[in-house]
Amino acid sequence: MPFLLLIIVGAAAGFLATRIMDVRTDVPTTIAIGVGGALISGVLMRFLLAIGSFAFGAIGALLGAIFVIWLWQRFSGRS
């Protein structure tokens, strides 16, 4: 079933992409374009998500540490 779904989504994406780019191709080429685009974008999105999650984690850790320092200074009487 996932393979059939990949072909259907690939055909739709390939059809839209070929129409937007004004390229006339046959049905197998249109499907191949869509499936190839889906694979490339899937890899790219996974990479960006991995980089983004690391960056957001580092930012969150920094903000958390700043908050802990603020709490410590506020309630311990230190400045």
Side-chain angles (χ1 to χ4, degrees):
M1 187 66 180
F3 183 71
L4 181 61
L5 185 62
L6 179 65
I7 290 175
I8 292 169
V9 171
F15 176 78
L16 290 173
T18 56
R19 295 307 173 256
I20 290 170
M21 297 299 294
D22 195 28
V23 176
R24 302 289 179 222
T25 60
D26 57 350
V27 174
T29 304
T30 302
I31 293 172
I33 289 170
V35 170
L39 292 174
I40 290 171
S41 67
V43 169
L44 180 63
M45 287 304 190
R46 286 179 189 256
F47 175 73
L48 291 175
L49 182 62
I51 296 297
S53 66
F54 173 76
F56 293 138
I59 291 169
L62 176 63
L63 293 175
I66 289 170
F67 181 68
V68 168
I69 291 170
W70 178 80
L71 285 174
W72 180 44
Q73 289 177 342
R74 175 104 171 134
F75 294 111
S76 70
R78 298 181 188 216
S79 53

